[in-house]
Amino acid sequence: MTTSTAATAGPSDLFRRGLRMLIDKDIPAWVGLWDDQGVLEFPFAPDGWPKRLTGKAAVADYMRHYPDHIDLHDFPDVKIHETGDAGTIVVEMRGVGLVVSTGEPFDMTYIAVVTVAGGLITHYRDYWNPLAVSAGGATDFTRGDR
């Protein structure tokens, strides 16, 4: 199997590599897939949760405690749709695992619109279901008291 270098990785390859990094809990490597000025948006984020993060440093800060709250095991249903823009994909996926503090199952369905340029993520819109988690609850890795 041939692997792409970061500079030549297409959006689908880069995205799949990123999912593997999340399962491996390698957040620094996942953040390394981001452009320095990359934007991460959450159009459905509830009040009190971030709606937009600008820059790799903001993405890193947001994600740094993710594995302490959500233990991802798999993305069993990943469907990547190409768009008319060679750098943009639309992804339907499901993440499954455990909520670390309770041991309860974690099962979230996502739609993501991801744009890649120069082998790095430049824009990621994450349409996750805010009704599946509660602000301040066990899955809230965005809390200030983390």
Side-chain angles (χ1 to χ4, degrees):
M1 180 168 110
T2 306
T3 57
S4 302
T5 63
T8 61
S12 296
D13 292 339
L14 190 73
F15 191 84
R16 287 185 190 282
R17 191 171 345 137
L19 293 180
R20 180 79 252 158
M21 292 169 179
L22 291 174
I23 291 170
D24 292 343
K25 294 151 193 51
D26 192 347
I27 300 305
W30 185 81
V31 171
L33 300 176
W34 284 78
D35 181 82
D36 287 342
Q37 302 305 312
V39 173
L40 177 56
E41 292 183 289
F42 305 98
F44 297 152
D47 290 340
W49 290 58
K51 302 239 186 245
R52 180 183 175 97
L53 304 168
T54 301
K56 182 188 279 192
V59 171
D61 186 54
Y62 175 79
M63 289 295 291
R64 67 188 163 119
H65 292 291
Y66 188 89
D68 298 333
H69 296 273
I70 300 169
D71 179 13
L72 283 172
H73 295 169
D74 194 12
F75 290 97
D77 302 313
V78 178
K79 295 179 184 86
I80 298 178
H81 306 278
E82 302 294 329
T83 69
D85 178 348
T88 300
I89 56 174
V90 175
V91 181
E92 298 175 79
M93 64 182 182
R94 197 171 129 235
V96 297
L98 295 174
V99 176
V100 172
S101 67
T102 65
E104 293 292 318
F106 176 84
D107 193 333
M108 178 73 72
T109 301
Y110 305 85
I111 300 287
V113 180
V114 182
T115 301
V116 171
L120 296 170
I121 298 168
T122 58
H123 202 152
Y124 189 123
R125 280 190 313 276
D126 189 352
Y127 295 90
W128 60 278
N129 180 4
L131 299 176
V133 299
S134 61
T139 57
D140 186 355
F141 59 93
T142 66
R143 293 191 323 250
D145 65 345
R146 53 189 175 172

